[in-house]
């Protein structure tokens, strides 16, 4: 296992939690190419490893990368095709902040050779680990469940209009998991509607990880949870125990549903 790139914590249940955007490291040799603001890695999915610690306690596995999404976005296809055609997107090796400003100084984003190198060094090991772990879980349990965890600012005009719901469940429009599971997860969110707003397959329907690995006909069911920062943080990026306590029951119920679900 390439420990300098990622950490895989193997669980005892069918569930694997993937957290592809929690990494914060930018290798020293890359830093000079970025604008100074980028070194604060503001678009990180902050604190999700801590927030989802309950899932490991339930027996779920967890996959955690070390490097920032500014180095490479582990939730984008290696061909760099847009995830949401017709809308503003960030790329496989992002060139803009979520606010739209350039990440790189002097207009010098990585060239094709550098993108290919980053795919080999950072992207490929993460996806090899997902694929191998899902296969292990399917062999051991007869099914594998993947929860891809994300978080984001509630308002980002460059990426979407208005304000996101608090909890955004993505199932690739129903293609990445069994319909009955999608319905059950939607009921879980509805049961917690008094605490947080939610939507299923809204603006965020699931990125590459959800779409690529979700193969319900083969016993692999994948969903994405995109959560607004203010569900569990206070500005700028501070973990807030009180806010987290309000969203953890919904997240725990989702994880328990995924662990216990039988086709």
């Amino acid at each position: 296992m390439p420990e300098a790139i990622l950490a895989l914590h193997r669980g005892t249940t069918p569930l694997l939690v993937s957290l592809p955007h929690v990494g914060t490291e930018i290798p020293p040799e890359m830093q000079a190419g970025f604008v100074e603001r980028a070194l604060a890695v503001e678009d990180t999915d902050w604190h999700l490893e801590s927030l989802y610690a309950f899932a490991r306690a339930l027996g779920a596995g967890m996959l955690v990368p070390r490097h920032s999404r500014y180095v490479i976005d582990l939730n984008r296809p290696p061909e760099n095709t847009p995830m949401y055609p017709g809308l503003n997107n960030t790329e496989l090796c992002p060139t803009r902040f979520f606010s739209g400003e350039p990440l790189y100084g002097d207009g010098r984003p990585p060239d094709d050779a550098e993108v290919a190198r980053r795919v080999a060094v950072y992207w490929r090991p993460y996806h090899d680990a997902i694929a191998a772990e899902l296969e292990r879980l399917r062999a051991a349990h007869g099914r594998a469940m993947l929860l891809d965890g994300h978080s984001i600012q509630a308002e980002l005009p460059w990426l979407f209009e208005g304000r996101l719901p608090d909890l955004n469940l993505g199932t690739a429009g129903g293609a990445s998991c069994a319909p009955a599971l999608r319905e059950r997860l939607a009921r879980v969110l509805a049961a917690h509607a008094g605490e947080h707003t939610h939507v299923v397959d809204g603006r965020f329907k699931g990125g590459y990880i959800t779409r690529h690995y979700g193969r319900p006909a083969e016993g692999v069911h994948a969903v994405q949870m995109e959560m607004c920062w203010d569900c569990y943080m206070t500005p700028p990026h501070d973990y807030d125990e009180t806010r987290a306590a309000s969203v953890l029951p919904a997240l725990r119920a989702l994880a328990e549903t995924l662990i216990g679900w039988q086709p």
Side-chain angles (χ1 to χ4, degrees), residues 40 98 122 138 183:
F98 282 177
Y122 304 102
R138 186 171 63 164
E183 181 179 346

Side-chain angles (χ1 to χ4, degrees), residues 16 20 22 25 33 44 55 70 96 128 135 145 161 183 190 192 202 209 227 243 247:
L16 174 65
V22 300
E25 293 187 23
T44 300
Y70 292 168
R96 294 181 181 273
D128 286 348
E135 186 55 37
M145 320 300 288
E161 295 182 0
E183 181 179 346
H192 292 84
I209 290 172
M227 176 174 29
R243 291 188 179 191
V247 78

Side-chain angles (χ1 to χ4, degrees), residues 67-151:
H67 292 88
S68 170
R69 69 188 306 158
Y70 292 168
V71 174
I72 194 163
D73 191 330
L74 301 171
N75 200 29
R76 293 293 181 271
E79 303 83 10
N80 200 22
T81 52
M83 294 306 306
Y84 298 98
L87 300 172
N88 284 336
N89 289 262
T90 53
E91 308 95 328
L92 176 65
C93 289
T95 59
R96 294 181 181 273
F97 294 93
F98 282 177
S99 54
E101 291 86 6
L103 276 168
Y104 288 88
D106 300 323
R108 295 178 182 174
D111 59 19
D112 290 346
E114 172 61 10
V115 171
R117 188 193 71 82
R118 295 187 195 183
V119 168
V121 172
Y122 304 102
W123 191 97
R124 182 59 59 192
Y126 194 85
H127 286 270
D128 286 348
I130 291 181
E133 187 63 7
L134 290 177
E135 186 55 37
R136 184 186 75 84
L137 294 175
R138 186 171 63 164
H141 302 281
R143 67 194 187 284
M145 320 300 288
L146 177 62
L147 173 59
D148 202 46
H150 298 263
S151 66

